[in-house]
Amino acid sequence: MTKSKFEIPLKSAKSRKVQIKAKSNYSTSKRRHRNTNPKQAHQSNQAILRLFIVWGILVIGALSLATRLYYLQIVNPVIVYEQAPQGKKLTQIALDQQTTKLQFYIPRRQIVDSQQNVLATDRITYTLYVHPHLFIRNSQAVPAKEIAEKLANILGTKTPEELLTIFSKQDWGILLAENLPESAKEKIAALQIDGLDLKQNYTRFYPHKEMAAEVTGYVNRDSSRTPQAGVEYTQNKLLERKPISWKMKRSFDNNKPVFYPGNLKKSQQLFNFDDLRLQLTIDLRLQEIARNALAKQMKEYKAKRGAVIVMDVRDGAIAALVSEPTYDPNTYYKYNDFGLFKNWAVTDLYEPGSTFKPINIALALDAGVISPQDTFNDTGEIQIKDALVRNHDFATEGARGKITLTQILQHSSNVGMIRVMRHMNPLDYYRDLQKIGIEDEVEFDIPGYTKGRLKDEVEFTVREIEPATAAFGQGFSVTPLKLIQLHAALANKGKLITPHVVRGLSDYKGYLHYSQPPHSKQIFSPKTATTVLEMMEKVVEDGSGYAAKIPGYRIAGKTGTSQKAVTQGGYDKTAKITSFVGIFPVEAPRYAVLAVVDEPHGKYTFGSTVAAPIVGSVIQGIINIEGIPPNNQVSKSSR
């Protein structure tokens, strides 16, 4: 069958529908394109452009951020080797924002004496501020008069009228009282009155007030809590504990910060700090005895100042160190005389006078230029160039003639000492004074030690008067601390021991956990030291030191009454320094005691009358405290 030219090829219905639909869509698209507004086409192009711009910015920002991170983490640590990478700094900033650090108050270590008596400790005190315009109780105003009466009873320092005057000066922020104890705080809080503001503080407290102030020093009461003077200053590293801080993580829950303590076990360990205390060699009982004895003599003779030192000759431990006048370290800010804050027995120089004569005799004996059996002609006065030197009792005793070394010390003969020291070459004498440490530094536990002073070597060796005056303790200067150190060497078989007031760090049972061993050096031979000590015993038994004698006990000593040098040169004829040094007991020396009284007034002001009784009282106190039995052995020098 032949096809008609009008015959259409057969196709499936589905194929025909697709072709018809495609044709229809094409036709519709052509019609829509022909009907599109040119303005709309332009807007469409702008939208596409903006889309590309936004995407471009985002891509550039991402690339910049990636570059910056690469620089911070990789490049920067290489370039800046010695500095912390900025990446680490930023990490630290993030950590700081996530954590907080708590700083806790850590008390200074206590200071205790040799018997564990507390000399210094930290305590909580309160500062009272008043705001008169807020005097309200139970929503009702309280009359200022009523408050003034109640505060006057609690404080005890001001009358109600004085308090009312203070209240009238301003309406708020009046500093009314400081360093209030817990008992006063509780009474004020019990009033339940608005306008009374109590601020809690931590302050250094000295329960015995001025009794050991020259040893302890004090700590500033301001926020810096800077130690000043005494062992508070020199032993600050031992007294301060390591600061404690506690880091806590911070989170936010419902927009409120929440803190997590972290490792509780580790945190608890931080607060388990030691209970060690700084223990001193000072015995508070002996300190009080020495202060009372000194104060009594100073009052009787209207003296300018005084000092007492008690030293254990075996190890250099200072059992008492008193200087008057003194201060209360709890209220140091009330004192205008800054000289009170130093311990003049450590810081100030003076010419020791006759208390140095035993030291000179020891030097001459060790040099071999004299012997203990030698005698010397005491003419009562002696002419040296244009200077006339006399004994202190020349007007009453005149010339004594031939006397021994023991008698020279017993009568404190200046002429006898000049004749003794003339046996030494001046240069050798000068260098021996240097060897025993007159000009040496003493590493003491209290600040401000001043080295002794000798004349220039040429002047001392050329001018005859210089070794002559040095023979009886004038023309050079030392501190009281140096003088007792030298006498302790005589008592310790010639060994010079470094004095100290710090025993070490001890616990509450008294066991030492840290201490420094004493330092010593031999400056006199043991034989010479023993010989001179026995000579000094005669001074107390039947000489100028009789006021320090205690029946049944062997005590050696030496008096001293020296002129005071003035800065312009020469001496003050109206002023003197009296002193006495005692060593006890002679048969087994344990303590050296020195008393110095500056510028006593009166007719009979000598070392024998002013200073010797002080040393006698202190030695009696030692006997009572330690229960030392009497020893009736007769000294060799008195046989």
Side-chain angles (χ1 to χ4, degrees):
M1 182 175 178
T2 60
K3 293 182 181 179
S4 173
K5 65 177 177 179
F6 300 105
E7 186 178 356
I8 299 173
L10 293 177
K11 294 183 180 178
S12 67
K14 184 177 181 181
S15 179
R16 287 197 300 271
K17 286 179 181 180
V18 172
Q19 288 180 353
I20 293 170
K21 185 176 181 181
K23 186 175 182 180
S24 174
N25 288 341
Y26 173 76
S27 301
T28 303
S29 177
K30 280 185 72 176
R31 287 196 300 269
R32 189 180 298 145
H33 180 72
R34 284 196 298 264
N35 295 333
T36 299
N37 191 323
K39 184 177 180 180
Q40 292 178 346
H42 178 70
Q43 290 177 346
S44 176
N45 293 335
Q46 286 184 334
I48 295 171
L49 179 61
R50 283 196 297 269
L51 181 62
F52 277 109
I53 292 174
V54 171
W55 276 103
I57 292 173
L58 291 175
V59 171
I60 293 172
L63 290 174
S64 299
L65 180 60
T67 303
R68 181 61 175 168
L69 290 174
Y70 178 80
Y71 174 78
L72 292 176
Q73 298 295 337
I74 306 299
V75 179
N76 190 59
V78 177
I79 297 176
V80 189
Y81 176 77
E82 295 181 353
Q83 299 179 358
Q86 292 188 32
K88 291 184 178 180
K89 292 182 180 179
L90 296 177
T91 301
Q92 186 61 47
I93 292 173
L95 289 174
D96 291 342
Q97 292 174 347
Q98 297 169 14
T99 60
T100 186
K101 182 183 289 186
L102 302 180
Q103 297 285 351
F104 294 93
Y105 169 77
I106 303 301
R108 286 171 70 84
R109 288 192 173 96
Q110 291 182 333
I111 301 175
V112 298
D113 78 339
S114 61
Q115 306 302 311
Q116 298 291 327
N117 296 305
V118 177
L119 302 178
T121 187
D122 281 12
R123 70 169 183 175
I124 297 175
T125 58
Y126 298 88
T127 302
L128 175 61
Y129 294 89
V130 296
H131 313 288
H133 75 297
L134 294 178
F135 286 163
I136 299 172
R137 181 174 54 202
N138 297 329
S139 302
Q140 293 184 354
V142 181
K145 183 178 180 181
E146 177 184 340
I147 295 177
E149 291 174 352
K150 291 182 177 181
L151 288 180
N153 292 330
I154 296 173
L155 301 178
T157 56
K158 292 181 174 62
T159 64
E161 292 74 20
E162 290 174 333
L163 291 177
L164 281 173
T165 302
I166 294 173
F167 294 165
S168 65
K169 290 182 178 179
Q170 62 188 67
D171 291 335
W172 58 276
I174 301 174
L175 174 58
L176 192 61
E178 295 181 283
N179 295 323
L180 295 177
E182 189 73 26
S183 58
K185 173 255 182 182
E186 292 177 355
K187 293 178 181 179
I188 294 172
L191 298 176
Q192 296 183 343
I193 297 174
D194 294 342
L196 301 180
D197 183 14
L198 287 164
K199 181 183 178 183
Q200 180 176 291
N201 307 296
Y202 292 92
T203 58
R204 197 69 162 162
F205 177 57
Y206 304 88
H208 298 282
K209 299 182 178 180
E210 69 280 350
M211 191 54 65
E214 54 273 89
V215 179
T216 61
Y218 65 93
V219 173
N220 284 345
R221 62 174 182 162
D222 58 20
S223 59
S224 69
R225 305 199 71 208
T226 305
Q228 303 284 353
V231 295
E232 291 277 24
Y233 177 79
T234 61
Q235 308 301 311
N236 187 49
K237 290 184 178 180
L238 292 180
L239 289 167
E240 278 191 337
R241 291 187 173 96
K242 292 182 179 180
I244 293 178
S245 61
W246 192 4
K247 282 188 177 182
M248 300 181 71
K249 294 181 179 180
R250 179 167 52 185
S251 178
F252 285 86
D253 187 10
N254 295 328
N255 294 325
K256 292 182 180 179
V258 179
F259 296 94
Y260 300 95
N263 191 333
L264 284 174
K265 184 177 180 180
K266 184 178 179 180
S267 301
Q268 291 171 354
Q269 292 175 352
L270 290 175
F271 293 94
N272 293 330
F273 50 79
D274 63 77
D275 64 349
L276 299 181
R277 311 189 291 181
L278 184 70
Q279 187 174 30
L280 306 184
T281 58
I282 298 294
D283 187 329
L284 194 60
R285 300 168 298 177
L286 196 56
Q287 184 85 355
E288 184 175 4
I289 292 171
R291 189 177 297 283
N292 291 339
L294 176 62
K296 178 179 178 294
Q297 292 298 92
M298 286 181 63
K299 181 179 180 181
E300 181 177 347
Y301 290 95
K302 300 178 176 60
K304 177 182 178 181
R305 60 182 182 173
V308 177
I309 307 176
V310 181
M311 178 176 171
D312 190 323
V313 303
R314 301 169 303 175
D315 61 4
I318 302 295
L321 178 55
V322 173
S323 64
E324 285 283 348
T326 187
Y327 66 100
D328 183 352
N330 294 304
T331 55
Y332 68 89
Y333 47 86
K334 294 183 178 180
Y335 298 86
N336 296 322
D337 183 4
F338 295 107
L340 296 176
F341 302 141
K342 69 177 182 179
N343 192 322
W344 78 269
V346 178
T347 63
D348 288 12
L349 299 172
Y350 82 112
E351 298 189 7
S354 295
T355 52
F356 202 82
K357 288 175 180 176
I359 308 298
N360 278 329
I361 288 179
L363 291 177
L365 287 171
D366 267 348
V369 296
I370 61 170
S371 68
Q373 295 75 31
D374 289 346
T375 58
F376 303 87
N377 186 24
D378 182 2
T379 56
E381 60 180 4
I382 187 171
Q383 188 75 34
I384 302 175
K385 297 296 183 181
D386 56 350
L388 180 65
V389 180
R390 289 178 173 174
N391 291 335
H392 70 94
D393 58 357
F394 176 72
T396 57
E397 301 297 330
R400 285 193 170 89
K402 295 284 185 179
I403 58 175
T404 64
L405 290 173
T406 299
Q407 290 172 324
I408 287 175
L409 293 180
Q410 182 181 351
H411 301 298
S412 199
S413 170
N414 291 340
V415 174
M417 283 304 306
I418 292 174
R419 296 195 185 280
V420 168
M421 300 314 294
R422 275 184 171 176
H423 285 75
M424 286 192 73
N425 178 279
L427 181 59
D428 293 337
Y429 180 25
Y430 184 84
R431 289 178 177 172
D432 280 351
L433 291 174
Q434 290 180 318
K435 287 179 183 178
I436 63 174
I438 296 295
E439 297 178 305
D440 291 350
E441 184 75 47
V442 174
E443 295 180 1
F444 195 52
D445 302 319
I446 293 175
Y449 178 80
T450 303
K451 295 185 292 185
R453 294 177 184 171
L454 294 171
K455 294 289 181 66
D456 177 76
E457 181 180 308
V458 174
E459 182 180 6
F460 189 91
T461 54
V462 171
R463 296 188 65 208
E464 187 180 355
I465 191 63
E466 295 303 335
T469 54
F472 52 87
Q474 302 260 195
F476 66 95
S477 56
V478 294
T479 62
L481 182 67
K482 186 64 183 182
L483 182 66
I484 196 172
Q485 184 192 25
L486 292 172
H487 276 277
L490 289 176
N492 191 35
K493 299 186 181 301
K495 288 183 179 180
L496 188 74
I497 303 291
T498 302
H500 61 277
V501 296
V502 174
R503 184 167 178 255
L505 288 179
S506 67
D507 57 27
Y508 279 83
K509 295 181 180 180
Y511 295 114
L512 278 180
H513 292 253
Y514 166 81
S515 63
Q516 291 183 338
H519 301 285
S520 66
K521 71 173 182 177
Q522 198 79 33
I523 60 171
F524 305 119
S525 68
K527 181 179 179 180
T528 293
T530 302
T531 299
V532 174
L533 194 63
E534 291 176 348
M535 293 177 183
M536 293 172 65
E537 185 178 5
K538 191 64 177 178
V539 176
V540 177
E541 285 185 356
D542 189 22
S544 58
Y546 188 80
K549 184 176 182 179
I550 299 175
Y553 294 91
R554 297 180 64 188
I555 302 171
K558 185 67 192 79
T559 56
T561 306
S562 57
Q563 293 176 296
K564 289 193 69 173
V566 294
T567 54
Q568 296 82 6
Y571 295 90
D572 186 344
K573 295 181 180 180
T574 63
K576 63 178 72 171
I577 295 181
T578 60
S579 56
F580 182 82
V581 61
I583 297 171
F584 161 83
V586 173
E587 65 273 15
R590 172 75 184 276
Y591 292 106
V593 184
L594 172 66
V596 182
V597 180
D598 188 9
E599 294 189 22
H601 294 85
K603 186 176 182 181
Y604 301 104
T605 52
F606 305 103
S608 58
T609 57
V610 179
I614 299 173
V615 173
S617 297
V618 172
I619 292 178
Q620 184 64 63
I622 294 173
I623 293 171
N624 296 338
I625 290 172
E626 299 196 4
I628 300 174
N631 186 336
N632 295 315
Q633 179 183 355
V634 180
S635 67
K636 294 180 182 179
S637 61
S638 62
R639 290 178 182 176

